[in-house]
Amino acid sequence: MDLLRHLEFFVTIAEEEHFGHAAARLGIAQPPLSQGLQRLERSLGVVLVDRSSRGARLNAAGRDLLPRARALLEGAEDLRRAASAHGSAPVRIGAVPQLPIRTLAALVTACSNPPEIVTAPSTELLDALSAGRLDLAVVLHPALLGSLQSGPVHHLATTLLLPAGHPAPGPVVLRSLRGLALAAPPRAHAPAAHDLLLDTLEQRGLVTTPLGAPDDRAALALVAAGRAFALTAEPDLDAPGVVRREIAGEPLPLRLRVAWRGPRPAVLDAVLDVLP
Amino acid sequence: MTGLEREIRRTFADAGVQGRLHAAPIDGPTREVGVDPDEPAVMASVYKLPLLVAFCRRVDAGEIDPRERVTVHPAEHTAGPTGLSVLRDPVTMSWRDLACSMISVSDNTAADVLLRRVGLAHVNETLSDLGLERTRVLGGTADVHRSLVTDTATADTAAAFRALTSNDAAPAVRAYDAVLASATTPREMTRLLAAVWSDRAASPERCRFARELLGAQAWQHRLRSGFPPVGVRVAGKTGTLAAVRNEVGVVQFDGERPVAVAVFTRAARAEELLPRADAVIGQAARLAVTELRSGRL
């Protein structure tokens, strides 16, 4: 348990006397806030807040412990201030390989200090976040976020990459791609998002076999070889033997979500502004 | 973490769900399998099991006549896919048949009508009486629907569920929050089942009634799907709320001791229908029950 983070929840709830208002002030959703408080209560072995339909009020134990919680938070802030005088570590940001290069570059330049960037599959990024090895990550949605915090769902437009021999000049009806495999990262990189894509294709009449392509290079090679089609949010991706086509009908958006652990990272707003 | 626990966690993750589980033979707490068995989980319609037990106790106390007939009008309906919730005309039936519909097909209307008669206070009294201190029922299904409409800023229940079952947004709702919704832990639900199976939850006659209703469970796609087609009986109560899929029940192989299992899941995907997320409840339960049957623990 992140004691300081949970103490911050407790103090904010005490000040707002309302879960919703406290969550809004902390910039998180209500469920993780109240789960955090419950975890704190469990680890301390004492109930701190009386919940009712009208709000949240401290009980006697909560009132007694509130000043000590504040003192700990102030002590931690002191420690951070003192540490920052000795130099500052760069923020560590992770992103899935599907994030377009220009968006990634915009995200880096939006940070006031140059961040450390890691590119990895969603599941790895989420593990790294949970283990504290990253401060923030752009992952595929939907994904299992566990106790991580997260922002809204972002949509990026995608287009099709097809073998050059494909006849259609205009937007392509997905079911006409029957017979071609789908060049896509392995399911283990993001099981829920992978399953959602295959189910959506099937709903639109295209039952296809995914062919493991961990990155754009592998996907382009499979498409150029005439074995597969690919979906990309990258506007400039191109290679000999590959043509780009719009998808006919409903778009197939790439869904992304920003996730982080613990306190809202300082660069979060800048990152959210860069994503559509 | 044991190898089995790791395997169950992998099974949940592969199905795209966060899962919690507890399994223990009815006859004793010494052998058990758990995956976060003491972490709180939202109940959804699993709350109908404590409500059933509270109903049985009020019948035992002579405060409710189970044969008394009650008329339910369409205007009182709670939205739902089964039972009275889908009927057009007033229906007159007994309290115990309302209980039957509430358990066997998870009839939301029957449950809310019964909850009004039994009383929320009696449900929570029953829970604390049975020593289930981490299980709390805050209201019925209609209350949950009202909170969903508020939290998704929609006009009605149907619109709230449309918002909740879309992968294009991720609304934060109280109904998904184990602190703000009716909640329990996997271990407390296996304890409640054990009390029903060993005639401690109410009188032996009422406990038998409760076991019969749970044995008449119509939904076979969760717990039941994990076990062989013959030679095993599965009695249970499901709970479903968009991404939340639960089932708590008792698995009994012929000639063996019954095992109580409680599985609570929340899917990453938002769709109302996710067969893989239903099936993983049976798969995880099977892994746990197989271990307990082997006598290795």
Side-chain angles (χ1 to χ4, degrees), chain A residues 140-160:
Chain A
L140 296 187
H141 173 83
L144 291 172
L145 299 177
S147 59
L148 296 171
Q149 323 285 326
S150 57
V153 181
H154 302 270
H155 291 82
L156 272 64
T158 62
T159 46
L160 290 166

Side-chain angles (χ1 to χ4, degrees), chain A residues 19 29-31 34-35 38-39 42 51 141-144 146 153 155 187 191-192 195-196 199 253 255 257, chain B residues 13-14 16-18 39-40 134 167-170 172-174 176-180 266-269 271 276:
Chain A
F19 279 93
Q30 203 163 302
S34 45
Q35 279 157 22
Q38 204 187 34
R39 223 164 269 142
R42 211 157 57 238
R51 286 95 165 153
H141 173 83
L144 291 172
V153 181
H155 291 82
R187 178 172 183 273
D195 291 350
L196 174 58
D199 286 352
R255 296 181 181 85
R257 204 164 179 196
Chain B
D14 185 65
V17 307
Q18 182 178 39
E39 287 290 313
R134 307 198 47 212
N167 284 301
D168 292 328
V173 296
R174 280 171 286 171
Y176 281 167
D177 182 342
V179 174
L180 302 174
R266 168 137 180 225
R269 286 172 66 176
E271 287 98 327
R276 200 194 279 261

Side-chain angles (χ1 to χ4, degrees), chain B residues 11-293:
Chain B
T11 307
F12 280 137
D14 185 65
V17 307
Q18 182 178 39
R20 311 196 190 299
L21 172 147
H22 187 251
I26 294 291
D27 58 353
T30 50
R31 292 159 14 111
E32 61 173 12
V33 174
V35 171
D36 297 333
D38 298 308
E39 287 290 313
V42 301
M43 282 199 276
S45 284
V46 167
Y47 89 90
K48 292 165 187 168
L49 173 60
L51 172 54
L52 171 67
V53 174
F55 168 71
C56 288
R57 288 160 75 104
R58 295 212 74 189
V59 171
D60 282 338
E63 289 160 351
I64 296 177
D65 171 4
R67 291 186 178 80
E68 185 194 336
R69 299 176 74 72
V70 51
T71 300
V72 182
H73 296 272
E76 308 171 63
H77 283 184
T78 304
T82 58
L84 298 183
S85 294
V86 297
L87 302 183
R88 263 68 171 180
D89 298 311
V91 170
T92 301
M93 61 203 293
S94 66
W95 289 118
R96 63 178 181 178
D97 278 348
L98 282 170
C100 183
S101 191
M102 162 178 90
I103 296 298
S104 62
V105 296
S106 205
D107 184 335
N108 288 343
T109 295
D112 278 337
V113 169
L114 201 68
L115 178 62
R116 281 198 291 278
R117 180 68 182 89
V118 171
L120 190 57
H122 279 101
V123 177
N124 286 301
E125 227 166 76
T126 298
L127 289 165
S128 67
D129 216 52
L130 292 167
L132 305 175
E133 281 161 6
R134 307 198 47 212
T135 304
R136 210 183 44 239
V137 177
L138 298 183
T141 308
D143 297 306
V144 173
H145 289 176
R146 269 192 293 278
S147 82
L148 286 178
V149 169
T150 308
D151 294 352
T152 55
T154 45
D156 55 35
T157 308
F161 273 94
R162 274 198 300 280
L164 214 55
T165 54
S166 158
N167 284 301
D168 292 328
V173 296
R174 280 171 286 171
Y176 281 167
D177 182 342
V179 174
L180 302 174
S182 296
T184 184
T185 66
R187 187 190 303 277
E188 291 211 339
M189 282 300 102
T190 59
R191 282 175 55 199
L192 180 59
L193 289 162
V196 171
W197 254 252
S198 55
D199 291 345
R200 286 180 287 114
S203 67
E205 186 195 348
R206 290 296 139 205
C207 281
R208 186 173 355 105
F209 168 71
R211 292 195 292 271
E212 281 168 13
L213 296 195
L214 292 160
Q217 175 56 247
W219 310 129
Q220 311 264 308
H221 59 322
R222 294 203 179 146
L223 268 190
R224 189 65 185 87
S225 72
F227 296 93
V230 291
V232 55
R233 278 164 289 149
V234 178
K237 182 67 202 84
T238 54
T240 311
L241 189 91
V244 170
R245 289 173 186 77
N246 307 327
E247 186 160 0
V248 306
V250 170
V251 177
Q252 181 163 19
F253 280 83
D254 288 348
E256 296 185 21
R257 286 177 185 152
V259 178
V261 191
V263 188
F264 292 82
T265 74
R266 168 137 180 225
R269 286 172 66 176
E271 287 98 327
E272 199 177 343
L273 290 180
L274 282 180
R276 200 194 279 261
D278 290 308
V280 79
I281 291 177
Q283 289 161 12
R286 175 169 177 267
L287 288 169
V289 170
T290 302
E291 182 80 359
L292 292 171
R293 294 177 70 204

Side-chain angles (χ1 to χ4, degrees), chain A residues 10-253:
Chain A
F10 167 50
V11 170
T12 310
I13 292 164
E15 287 168 2
E16 296 290 336
E17 296 192 334
H18 190 283
F19 279 93
H21 299 163
R25 203 173 109 193
L26 288 161
I28 62 172
Q30 203 163 302
L33 172 72
S34 45
Q35 279 157 22
L37 176 67
Q38 204 187 34
R39 223 164 269 142
L40 176 69
E41 291 179 327
R42 211 157 57 238
S43 91
L44 295 176
V46 60
V47 174
L48 303 168
V49 176
D50 289 330
R51 286 95 165 153
S52 76
S53 54
R54 273 158 302 146
R57 301 211 148 201
L58 294 195
N59 60 21
R63 282 192 298 275
D64 179 45
L65 296 176
L66 180 62
R68 294 163 210 257
R70 284 202 172 108
L72 270 171
L73 288 174
E74 282 160 18
E77 190 49 41
D78 270 355
L79 177 72
R80 280 199 200 96
R81 261 198 302 275
S84 70
H86 296 276
S88 65
V91 59
R92 299 158 303 172
I93 296 180
V96 288
Q98 291 94 333
L99 184 71
I101 292 168
R102 283 160 198 276
T103 312
L104 181 67
L107 192 147
V108 170
T109 50
C111 299
S112 46
N113 293 316
E116 246 174 48
I117 296 286
V118 174
T119 301
S122 282
T123 44
E124 274 180 38
L125 294 175
L126 291 168
D127 284 349
L129 277 177
S130 299
R133 296 192 304 273
L134 283 177
D135 299 305
L136 174 154
V138 184
V139 298
L140 296 187
H141 173 83
L144 291 172
L145 299 177
S147 59
L148 296 171
Q149 323 285 326
S150 57
V153 181
H154 302 270
H155 291 82
L156 272 64
T158 62
T159 46
L160 290 166
L161 299 177
L162 303 176
H166 197 272
V172 171
V173 176
L174 287 170
R175 65 175 73 229
S176 73
L177 298 176
R178 207 171 290 176
L180 280 179
L182 166 68
R187 178 172 183 273
H189 286 195
H194 182 93
D195 291 350
L196 174 58
L197 174 60
L198 290 188
D199 286 352
T200 308
L201 290 175
E202 177 159 4
Q203 182 199 335
R204 297 182 51 179
L206 179 60
V207 178
T208 180
T209 326
L211 211 53
D215 54 28
D216 287 341
R217 294 167 62 89
L220 277 176
L222 286 170
V223 176
R227 296 182 57 198
F229 72 98
L231 279 162
T232 184
E234 195 69 74
D236 307 320
L237 208 54
D238 194 16
V242 174
V243 293
R244 180 178 283 269
R245 292 281 184 273
E246 297 299 318
I247 299 164
E250 288 283 299
L252 278 179

